[in-house]
Amino acid sequence: MKVKMLSRNPDNYVRETKLDLQRVPRNYDPTLHPFEVPREYVRALNATKLERVFAKPFLASLDGHRDGVNCLAKHPKSLATVLSGACDGEVRIWNLTKRKCIRAIQAHEGFVRGICTRFCGTSFFTVGDDKTVKQWKMDRPGCGEEEEPLHTILGKTVYTGIDHHWKDPAFATCGQQVDIWDEQRTNPICSMTWGYDSISSVKFNPIETFLLGSCASDRNIVLYDMRQATPLKKVILDMRTNTICWNPMEAFIFTAANEDYNLYTFDMRALDTPLMVHMDHVSAVLDVDYSPTGKEFVSASFDKSIRIFPVDRSRSREVYHTKRMQHVICVKWTSDSKYIMCGSDEMNIRLWKANASEKLGVLTSREKAAKDYNQKLKEKFQYHPHIKRIARHRHLPKSIYSQIQEQRIMKEARRRKELNRRKHSKPGSVPIVSEKKKHIVAVVK
C-alpha cells in the first residue's frame, strides 16, 4: 500500500529568533506577477539615484611634503605602506591606516625622478637628478644609527626612471639609454638604446618578466627583451608618450599615457593599431596605473583631475577632482583594488575610493544581498535613457567643462572639413582613416 504524506522542513518557515524577519513563502510564477518589470525598473532607478547621492570618493589627504610629489610606489607585501618621492629630493614612507608619515629621508639633491620597491619588500630604490641610484632599507634604522643607503651607484648621466624586476634581483633604469643592473654590481649588465633621445619611463612586464617597455621623448614606445639584451620593436605616435603601464592579468596588453590628451591600449603583438583609444582628458596625461584585476585603469592628467577607465571602453566611468588639487603628476591603484592614490603639484597625496559610492567597513548579510540585488538591477536597466543619464552625469570644474565644449567644436570642425575635402576630391583620393589608426605614424621592427 502506498501512502502519500505532506512533508515540510521547519527551516523554510520557522524563525531562528524573535528578531528575525518572518519568512513568507512566495510563488514565482510570472503569470501571478504581471507588474514585475515596472516594479524592478523603479527599484533600479532608485538604486541609481542613491548611488549618486552616496558617491563620496575622497577619503584623506596626506600632507607633509615641502615640494610637489613626483613619484609614488606601493609596498609589494603590505597594503598599508606607500612610498612617495618629492621634487626637493625627500622620500617619505606613509602608513595608510594611520594616515601618517612614519619615515622621512633626504634621499637626493634635486628631484626624486623614480622610486620602486624590491619584490620581497625588504628594500627600495630611488633615482634622482644627482645622477645616483640608491638602495634603502624598508625598516627604519635603529636607535643611534644614521639614515644611510645600503648601496649607492654613481652614474654618468641623469636617470629619469627606475623599475624593479618582479622575480629576480635586477632592476632597470632609463635616461639616455635603458640600463639593466644586477643588485650586487656597480656597473650595468647591459645597456640598450634605439635612437638618441632621452627615455622618460621604463616598466617591467609583471607576467612575462623578461619583457620591458620604455617611452622616449622622440615619440617612441620601445619594447625590449632582457634575455637577448636587444630592442624588439617600437611604435611611433603623433605625440610624446609620458609613461606606460602593463596589464597585470594579460601579458601582451599595455596602456600608454600620451601628450595628445588620450590613452592608447596596445597589444604588443600588433602595434600598428591600438586596441582602444581612451578619450576624456582635456590636457596631457601624465601617469597611468592598472587595477590588480586588469579590468580598469586610472589616469592622472595635467588638467587637475584623475579618471577611471574600463579597459574596453573609450570613455571614463568616473572623474575625481577637488578645488585644491593642482596638476596630478603620479597615480597608483592599491593592491586590494579598493583605493586610488594620487600625488600632485601642491605637495599632497590624496586617497580615493575606487568605487565612489561603496560603503566602507563590515557589511551585514542583508546589506550584501541588497547591494548585489541593486547592482543586478542597474545592469539590467543600464541602457534605459533616464537611468543612463543619471548614472553618467558628473559635475565638472568650470575649466574642464569649458575645455570639453571647445574641443568638441574643434573636433566637429575637423570632421566637417574632412567631409568637404572628400566631397570635392577625386573618389578614393581622400581615404577614410579610423580614429585608432589616425595617431600611429609607424611601427619599426
Side-chain angles (χ1 to χ4, degrees), residues 21 42 44 51 54 60 132 139 210 225 246 255 267 342 396 410 413:
L21 294 175
V42 171
E51 183 191 31
F54 292 121
T132 57
D139 302 323
F210 48 82
D225 191 334
W246 294 92
T255 297
D267 186 326
C342 67
L396 291 170
M410 289 161 65

Side-chain angles (χ1 to χ4, degrees), residues 278-348:
H278 308 275
M279 304 176 286
D280 255 348
H281 282 294
V282 292
S283 195
V285 188
L286 301 180
D287 200 11
V288 59
D289 192 42
Y290 264 92
S291 154
T293 59
K295 303 276 188 195
E296 294 180 319
F297 61 83
V298 60
S299 62
S301 172
F302 200 74
D303 64 12
K304 308 177 187 177
S305 69
I306 62 174
R307 288 182 182 266
I308 301 170
F309 290 87
V311 173
D312 54 350
R313 297 284 174 89
S314 62
R315 298 292 175 183
S316 61
R317 73 159 173 86
E318 199 64 78
V319 55
Y320 294 158
H321 53 85
T322 69
K323 280 186 178 177
R324 293 185 178 183
M325 188 157 76
Q326 296 301 308
H327 311 307
V328 191
I329 297 171
C330 49
V331 70
K332 280 279 180 268
W333 203 309
T334 57
S335 301
D336 61 350
S337 190
K338 284 196 170 186
Y339 306 103
I340 289 166
M341 297 166 297
C342 67
S344 48
D345 256 357
E346 83 305 334
M347 305 176 273
N348 278 352

Side-chain angles (χ1 to χ4, degrees), residues 133 153-156 159 171-173 177-192:
V133 182
I153 299 167
L154 185 60
K156 294 174 184 173
Y159 297 111
F171 61 92
T173 59
Q177 60 196 15
V178 172
D179 294 325
I180 309 293
W181 304 76
D182 190 297
E183 286 181 9
Q184 307 302 321
R185 299 188 182 185
T186 54
N187 291 317
I189 305 168
C190 67
S191 297
M192 298 177 281

